[in-house]
Each structure stands twice: as structure tokens, then as C-alpha cells.
Amino acid sequence: MNYKIRVYDLHTNKETIKVNEIFETKDAAEAAIENHKLQNPEKYEYVKVPVKRVLR
């Protein structure tokens, strides 16, 4: 399953950062979230969203 990350501001609940990268595993998405949390502690809420990758 592939995952995308959505980043929301804690105070407004609006999506604030657009992460275009698609992660191939849940662990990869969680590692990216942890990296973002180190840069911006207690400022954003991170959500992993499962996505289907469309091959053309």
C-alpha cells in the first residue's frame, strides 16, 4: 500500500504543507513524519493517507 502525508495546522485544522511525495510503505511514511516533527515540534498534525498509485 502506498501512503501520502497530509499536514494540518494545529490551531486552524487547515492543510498547510503540501507533501507531493508518495511513500511505498507505512514505515517510510512514519519516518518522514518523524523527520518533519523534529523540524516543527508541536506546530502541525500529520496524517498518513493510503493511496492507490496509478500507473500509466
Side-chain angles (χ1 to χ4, degrees), residues 5-50:
I5 296 173
R6 295 192 179 258
V7 183
Y8 296 92
D9 187 287
L10 281 176
H11 302 291
T12 64
N13 290 332
K14 291 184 179 182
E15 190 171 1
T16 58
I17 299 173
K18 191 81 162 178
V19 180
N20 291 326
E21 186 174 354
I22 295 177
F23 300 93
E24 293 189 12
T25 65
K26 187 175 184 179
D27 291 336
E30 289 175 353
I33 288 172
E34 288 303 317
N35 187 32
H36 281 276
K37 281 184 178 179
L38 290 174
Q39 295 173 12
N40 302 299
E42 300 182 22
K43 189 172 182 180
Y44 302 112
E45 180 67 32
Y46 301 88
V47 179
K48 292 181 301 288
V49 180

